Structure formats: C-alpha cells, structure tokens
C-alpha cells in the first residue's frame, strides 16, 4: 500500500486564535506520527486570517521538535517570496536540528494577493525566474567548493529532499527535467492532474537526487461516523472556498446543515470543480473512494488534507483514514 501523509495549514477557526491553531497542529502531528503517516507538511500562505502557517519554516521547527520519527516539511515554500540562499539556510538549519526528517517542497506562486506579494518585496509580476531560483537553491545544498564566494551555512552538504509543487504542467515539466519528486495540488486545483502526471512520468530524467519518478497527489478526505455527518463537516471547506472567491477570506467557519442555501449555482459549480478530488463519508465510503482514486491515478503517495472545524472531529477523520489505509494494505 502506498504511504499516506498529511497536509496542514494550521487553520484558525472562528472563536479561536493562532496560538490554539499551533497547539492543534502539534497535537495532530503527534497523532499522525502514532498512526503511521509518512510526512507532515505545512504550507505557506500570507494575509489569510484563517491560515496561520505563514512563517512556515518556524512552524516546521515547532512540529519537528514535538515529534520524533515523522518527516516534517513544507508543502510548500513559495519561492517567489524568498531569496534561495535564505531558504537554504533555513532548511539547512532545520535539517541540522532534525537530521533525516526535513522535506522542502517549492512552489512558484506567491501564495497570496498582489498587494501582499509586493509587501514581501519579491518578484510577484513574473515567476519566470523560478527555474533559475530552484537551481540556485539546489546548488546551495551541494558540498561547498574551495573558493566558493557564497555558501549556505548551515545548508552546504546537508541532505534536504527537495520537491516541486504545482497545479499545472509547468512544475511537472521542471520536476521531470531536474529529476525531482513532484507533488500535484489536486486537492484544490485538479484540472490538469492527469496531463501533468503523464508528462512528469514520461519525461522524467534520473538525477543524483532521484532515480525514478515519484509523484504525490493531494486529496481531501473528510471521514466521520456516517456519510451524512462527513458531508456536514465538509461544508466548512466548501464555505471557505466560497468566501475566498467572494473576496471575503476569514476565519474557518463551522459546518452548516444546508450548504445549498449558502452558495449560488455558479459558486456550487466552481467549488465542486475545485474540490473534485475529495472523499467524504463513513469508513466504508472513504475506503471505496480512496481505493478508486489510487486505482485511477496510481500515485506513489497520497497527501491528505481535511479542513474540519472541530479539532476532535479532524483528529477522528485522520484516524479513520489511517484505518482505511491499513484495511487496504491488508487486502493487498
């Protein structure tokens, strides 16, 4: 059975704050470790009240320090917002503190709106420099050479697995060219998933970092005791998408009983398309959905996310997903 991993945005729910979100994140990471999830990734977003993972490397250090075996990383660091040297130093530091446990996923979007991207003082107007910046960053992790004018300290000569993230063909192509593992954001932008996977696998060139293509796919999994309750919990994610599209991002809302009264028909179509890669239901429903998703797309790993309002319900969802993984493993 392929590995399951966790994607977390440190959600800040209505009536809560960032401090509680960070406590919940660490608690969920510790649970994921006990349940046998392979990695726990956090994603960089800015100027979003409901997402507390903006200082991603800091939060990765917090989670890694509170766990012992699970891999912890970025899914991802938005490279347009950072100088490659600074990223290499940050993740070289993390990998020195937690050897063999740190991952670095890189994205080429700013992870925010245009005014915020400009406030970050990097190149929002064009991500054309992304391939060059990736190569520069990879170079900083190589052993330093005599006379090298700039080196990452720490970072040089430290093994940090680097992934490329994407929701289009661009990063799939670049991952293949550079021989890097690839993670596709199918949990919120699935339209190009099949084409991107095919391109990545077809054009992959082995590298010193990776000999064979390795693709991880994002999947929304919301599990509960019944299909009806899981669908109700999923309305939190649906509302969040609608609020964002309406230009009113806010704290993560509680679930509602009637999502049909919340969205317009065009909004419903938009949300259902964006969240098409979602498995929502009780254990048997989740098992059938995950099994079908794996059979169709053949990922090497699943990156599961669950934007659930109540922390206890979110924990339970990941527990059910882990039990489903074990059932599928036993069946194979």
């Amino acid at each position: 059975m392929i590995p399951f991993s966790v994607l977390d945005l440190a959600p800040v729910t209505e009536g809560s704050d960032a401090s509680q979100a960070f406590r919940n994140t660490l608690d969920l990471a510790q649970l994921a470790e006990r349940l046998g999830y392979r990695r726990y990734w956090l994603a960089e977003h800015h100027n979003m009240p409901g997402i507390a993972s903006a200082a991603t490397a800091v939060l990765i250090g917090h989670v890694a320090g509170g766990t012992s075996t699970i891999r912890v990383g970025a899914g991802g660091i938005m490279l347009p917002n950072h100088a490659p040297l600074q990223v290499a130093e940050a993740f070289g530091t993390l990998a020195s503190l937690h050897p063999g446990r740190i991952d670095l996923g890189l994205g080429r979007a700013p992870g925010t709106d245009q005014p915020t991207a400009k406030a970050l003082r990097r190149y929002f107007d064009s991500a054309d420099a992304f391939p060059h910046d990736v190569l520069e960053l990879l170079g900083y992790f190589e052993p330093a050479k005599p006379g090298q004018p700039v080196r990452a300290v720490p970072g040089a000569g430290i093994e940090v697995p680097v992934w490329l993230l994407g929701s289009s063909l661009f990063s799939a192509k670049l991952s293949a060219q550079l021989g890097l593992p690839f993670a596709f954001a199918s949990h919120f932008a699935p339209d190009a998933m099949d084409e991107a996977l095919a391109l990545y696998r077809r054009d992959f060139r082995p590298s010193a970092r990776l000999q064979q293509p390795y693709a991880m796919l994002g999947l929304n999994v919301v599990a509960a005791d019944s299909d009806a309750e899981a669908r109700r919990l999923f309305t939190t994610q649906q509302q969040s998408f609608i609020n964002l599209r309406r230009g009113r991002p806010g704290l993560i809302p509680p679930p509602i009983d009637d999502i049909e009264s919340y969205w317009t028909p065009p909004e419903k179509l938009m949300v259902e398309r964006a969240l098409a890669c979602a498995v929502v239901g009780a254990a048997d429903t989740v098992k059938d959905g995950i099994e079908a998703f794996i059979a169709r797309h053949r990922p090497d790993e699943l990156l599961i996310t669950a934007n659930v309002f109540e922390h206890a319900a979110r924990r339970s969802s990941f527990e059910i997903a882990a039990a489903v993984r074990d059932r599928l493993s036993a069946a194979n």
Side-chain angles (χ1 to χ4, degrees), residues 1-322:
M1 188 56 195
I2 65 172
F4 284 17
S5 293
V6 176
L7 175 64
D8 183 17
L9 305 182
V12 185
T13 57
E14 291 182 10
S16 186
D17 58 21
S19 294
Q20 184 61 53
F22 296 146
R23 288 191 290 270
N24 291 345
T25 282
L26 182 56
D27 179 69
L28 185 61
Q30 291 168 340
L31 175 68
E33 184 172 74
R34 293 194 297 272
L35 293 173
Y37 285 90
R38 173 164 291 186
R39 59 189 96 238
Y40 195 96
W41 277 10
L42 295 138
E44 177 187 349
H45 293 272
H46 299 278
N47 197 32
M48 299 190 70
I51 297 176
S53 53
T56 317
V58 177
L59 193 52
I60 288 169
H62 175 62
V63 171
T67 54
S68 58
T69 58
I70 194 169
R71 299 192 66 89
V72 187
I77 293 294
M78 300 297 105
L79 198 51
N81 303 336
H82 308 277
L85 176 61
Q86 291 174 312
V87 177
E89 290 170 339
F91 280 79
T93 299
L94 288 167
S96 298
L97 290 167
H98 310 284
R101 295 182 55 214
I102 300 299
D103 297 328
L104 172 56
L106 300 172
R108 73 183 184 107
T112 188
D113 53 76
Q114 186 169 356
T116 308
K118 289 182 177 178
L120 290 165
R121 288 168 170 75
R122 289 284 287 166
Y123 55 84
F124 178 77
D125 291 337
S126 173
D128 293 342
F130 181 72
H132 176 272
D133 281 359
V134 171
L135 289 172
E136 181 182 345
L137 176 53
L138 292 173
Y140 287 130
F141 288 129
E142 295 296 321
K145 299 175 181 178
Q148 181 174 325
V150 179
R151 62 168 65 183
V153 183
I158 295 178
E159 183 179 350
V160 179
V162 175
W163 298 62
L164 294 191
L165 318 177
S167 58
S168 68
L169 304 186
F170 184 96
S171 289
K173 182 177 181 179
L174 186 60
S175 298
Q177 290 175 343
L178 299 180
L180 297 175
F182 177 54
F184 191 85
S186 37
H187 59 292
F188 73 89
D191 287 355
M193 173 175 56
D194 291 331
E195 190 176 358
L197 277 177
L199 185 155
Y200 172 67
R201 289 165 172 159
R202 183 193 70 214
D203 295 347
F204 181 85
R205 301 175 186 172
S207 70
R209 286 179 168 267
L210 189 66
Q211 289 300 298
Q212 296 180 336
Y214 193 94
M216 180 161 59
L217 297 181
L219 182 65
N220 297 283
V221 177
V222 177
D225 290 338
S226 69
D227 287 356
E229 177 59 16
R231 287 193 296 269
R232 179 177 174 275
L233 295 178
F234 191 50
T235 63
T236 287
Q237 176 77 331
Q238 293 167 324
Q239 291 175 81
S240 295
F241 261 72
I242 295 166
N243 295 342
L244 184 61
R245 296 305 189 272
R246 290 175 178 174
R248 298 198 299 266
L251 301 180
I252 304 301
I256 56 177
D257 293 327
D258 182 16
I259 189 65
E260 298 297 333
S261 66
Y262 193 82
W263 54 24
T264 65
E267 287 172 338
K268 178 179 181 179
L269 290 174
M270 177 274 296
V271 172
E272 289 182 342
R273 181 172 178 174
L275 301 180
C277 292
V279 178
V280 180
D284 288 343
T285 302
V286 169
K287 176 181 175 295
D288 292 343
I290 290 179
E291 191 171 30
F293 185 85
I294 292 173
R296 176 180 175 183
H297 302 292
R298 299 293 178 185
D300 297 293
E301 189 169 337
L302 278 186
L303 186 63
I304 292 175
T305 188
N307 193 356
V308 174
F309 181 78
E310 275 191 83
H311 183 59
R314 192 165 181 240
R315 283 174 53 96
S316 178
S317 183
F318 280 102
E319 288 173 336
I320 294 170

